[in-house]
mmCIF file of all heavy atoms in Angstrom:
data_model
loop_
_atom_site.group_PDB
_atom_site.id
_atom_site.type_symbol
_atom_site.label_atom_id
_atom_site.label_comp_id
_atom_site.label_asym_id
_atom_site.label_seq_id
_atom_site.Cartn_x
_atom_site.Cartn_y
_atom_site.Cartn_z
ATOM 1 N N LEU A 486 33.483 -102.866 -13.471
ATOM 2 C CA LEU A 486 33.562 -103.087 -14.915
ATOM 3 C C LEU A 486 32.785 -104.336 -15.340
ATOM 4 O O LEU A 486 32.189 -104.363 -16.416
ATOM 5 C CB LEU A 486 35.022 -103.207 -15.354
ATOM 6 C CG LEU A 486 35.868 -101.937 -15.280
ATOM 7 C CD1 LEU A 486 37.308 -102.229 -15.686
ATOM 8 C CD2 LEU A 486 35.295 -100.820 -16.147
ATOM 9 N N ASN A 487 32.783 -105.377 -14.505
ATOM 10 C CA ASN A 487 32.063 -106.608 -14.847
ATOM 11 C C ASN A 487 30.559 -106.414 -14.841
ATOM 12 O O ASN A 487 29.855 -106.884 -15.736
ATOM 13 C CB ASN A 487 32.431 -107.734 -13.871
ATOM 14 C CG ASN A 487 33.840 -108.233 -14.061
ATOM 15 O OD1 ASN A 487 34.423 -108.102 -15.132
ATOM 16 N ND2 ASN A 487 34.402 -108.812 -13.014
ATOM 17 N N GLY A 488 30.041 -105.749 -13.818
ATOM 18 C CA GLY A 488 28.602 -105.567 -13.715
ATOM 19 C C GLY A 488 27.871 -106.882 -13.510
ATOM 20 O O GLY A 488 28.475 -107.944 -13.356
ATOM 21 N N ILE A 489 26.551 -106.812 -13.515
ATOM 22 C CA ILE A 489 25.712 -107.984 -13.289
ATOM 23 C C ILE A 489 24.524 -107.939 -14.258
ATOM 24 O O ILE A 489 24.045 -106.862 -14.626
ATOM 25 C CB ILE A 489 25.238 -108.042 -11.817
ATOM 26 C CG1 ILE A 489 24.611 -109.404 -11.478
ATOM 27 C CG2 ILE A 489 24.310 -106.892 -11.473
ATOM 28 C CD1 ILE A 489 24.399 -109.626 -9.994
ATOM 29 N N LEU A 490 24.071 -109.111 -14.669
ATOM 30 C CA LEU A 490 23.037 -109.215 -15.705
ATOM 31 C C LEU A 490 21.637 -109.279 -15.092
ATOM 32 O O LEU A 490 21.434 -109.905 -14.051
ATOM 33 C CB LEU A 490 23.288 -110.464 -16.548
ATOM 34 C CG LEU A 490 22.418 -110.675 -17.790
ATOM 35 C CD1 LEU A 490 22.627 -109.563 -18.804
ATOM 36 C CD2 LEU A 490 22.760 -112.037 -18.415
ATOM 37 N N LEU A 491 20.699 -108.624 -15.763
ATOM 38 C CA LEU A 491 19.292 -108.669 -15.360
ATOM 39 C C LEU A 491 18.497 -109.532 -16.335
ATOM 40 O O LEU A 491 18.713 -109.467 -17.543
ATOM 41 C CB LEU A 491 18.684 -107.261 -15.363
ATOM 42 C CG LEU A 491 18.950 -106.373 -14.150
ATOM 43 C CD1 LEU A 491 18.467 -104.958 -14.453
ATOM 44 C CD2 LEU A 491 18.259 -106.904 -12.918
ATOM 45 N N ASP A 492 17.586 -110.329 -15.798
ATOM 46 C CA ASP A 492 16.647 -111.088 -16.624
ATOM 47 C C ASP A 492 15.456 -110.162 -16.909
ATOM 48 O O ASP A 492 14.612 -109.924 -16.049
ATOM 49 C CB ASP A 492 16.191 -112.339 -15.872
ATOM 50 C CG ASP A 492 15.334 -113.251 -16.747
ATOM 51 O OD1 ASP A 492 14.522 -112.725 -17.524
ATOM 52 O OD2 ASP A 492 15.465 -114.482 -16.614
ATOM 53 N N ARG A 493 15.403 -109.626 -18.107
ATOM 54 C CA ARG A 493 14.393 -108.607 -18.419
ATOM 55 C C ARG A 493 12.978 -109.175 -18.398
ATOM 56 O O ARG A 493 12.035 -108.478 -18.024
ATOM 57 C CB ARG A 493 14.691 -107.978 -19.778
ATOM 58 C CG ARG A 493 16.056 -107.298 -19.819
ATOM 59 C CD ARG A 493 16.190 -106.384 -21.005
ATOM 60 N NE ARG A 493 17.568 -105.936 -21.179
ATOM 61 C CZ ARG A 493 17.917 -104.851 -21.837
ATOM 62 N NH1 ARG A 493 16.987 -104.089 -22.387
ATOM 63 N NH2 ARG A 493 19.179 -104.496 -21.967
ATOM 64 N N GLN A 494 12.814 -110.436 -18.804
ATOM 65 C CA GLN A 494 11.474 -111.028 -18.783
ATOM 66 C C GLN A 494 10.957 -111.160 -17.351
ATOM 67 O O GLN A 494 9.804 -110.833 -17.067
ATOM 68 C CB GLN A 494 11.503 -112.401 -19.466
ATOM 69 C CG GLN A 494 11.682 -112.329 -20.970
ATOM 70 C CD GLN A 494 11.580 -113.702 -21.622
ATOM 71 O OE1 GLN A 494 11.834 -114.724 -20.987
ATOM 72 N NE2 GLN A 494 11.203 -113.720 -22.896
ATOM 73 N N LYS A 495 11.814 -111.627 -16.462
ATOM 74 C CA LYS A 495 11.408 -111.739 -15.057
ATOM 75 C C LYS A 495 11.161 -110.360 -14.453
ATOM 76 O O LYS A 495 10.258 -110.181 -13.635
ATOM 77 C CB LYS A 495 12.466 -112.494 -14.246
ATOM 78 C CG LYS A 495 12.501 -113.977 -14.543
ATOM 79 C CD LYS A 495 13.530 -114.692 -13.674
ATOM 80 C CE LYS A 495 13.545 -116.185 -13.971
ATOM 81 N NZ LYS A 495 14.588 -116.909 -13.196
ATOM 82 N N LEU A 496 11.961 -109.400 -14.871
ATOM 83 C CA LEU A 496 11.788 -108.039 -14.365
ATOM 84 C C LEU A 496 10.444 -107.469 -14.821
ATOM 85 O O LEU A 496 9.738 -106.821 -14.044
ATOM 86 C CB LEU A 496 12.938 -107.153 -14.846
ATOM 87 C CG LEU A 496 12.942 -105.718 -14.321
ATOM 88 C CD1 LEU A 496 13.062 -105.687 -12.808
ATOM 89 C CD2 LEU A 496 14.081 -104.924 -14.963
ATOM 90 N N GLU A 497 10.082 -107.702 -16.073
ATOM 91 C CA GLU A 497 8.789 -107.224 -16.582
ATOM 92 C C GLU A 497 7.629 -107.886 -15.844
ATOM 93 O O GLU A 497 6.630 -107.235 -15.506
ATOM 94 C CB GLU A 497 8.690 -107.496 -18.083
ATOM 95 C CG GLU A 497 9.583 -106.602 -18.933
ATOM 96 C CD GLU A 497 9.541 -106.977 -20.403
ATOM 97 O OE1 GLU A 497 8.691 -107.824 -20.768
ATOM 98 O OE2 GLU A 497 10.349 -106.437 -21.178
ATOM 99 N N LYS A 498 7.760 -109.185 -15.579
ATOM 100 C CA LYS A 498 6.719 -109.900 -14.835
ATOM 101 C C LYS A 498 6.597 -109.340 -13.427
ATOM 102 O O LYS A 498 5.481 -109.102 -12.932
ATOM 103 C CB LYS A 498 7.065 -111.391 -14.782
ATOM 104 C CG LYS A 498 6.049 -112.231 -14.024
ATOM 105 C CD LYS A 498 6.484 -113.698 -13.997
ATOM 106 C CE LYS A 498 5.510 -114.531 -13.161
ATOM 107 N NZ LYS A 498 5.936 -115.958 -13.090
ATOM 108 N N LEU A 499 7.723 -109.105 -12.782
ATOM 109 C CA LEU A 499 7.711 -108.543 -11.429
ATOM 110 C C LEU A 499 7.127 -107.139 -11.439
ATOM 111 O O LEU A 499 6.370 -106.762 -10.528
ATOM 112 C CB LEU A 499 9.128 -108.526 -10.867
ATOM 113 C CG LEU A 499 9.313 -107.874 -9.494
ATOM 114 C CD1 LEU A 499 8.461 -108.575 -8.438
ATOM 115 C CD2 LEU A 499 10.782 -107.885 -9.084
#
Side-chain angles (χ1 to χ4, degrees):
L486 291 177
N487 289 336
I489 192 168
L490 187 63
L491 279 171
D492 187 321
R493 300 195 191 202
Q494 289 185 335
K495 288 182 179 177
L496 184 61
E497 288 175 9
K498 180 181 176 182
L499 176 59

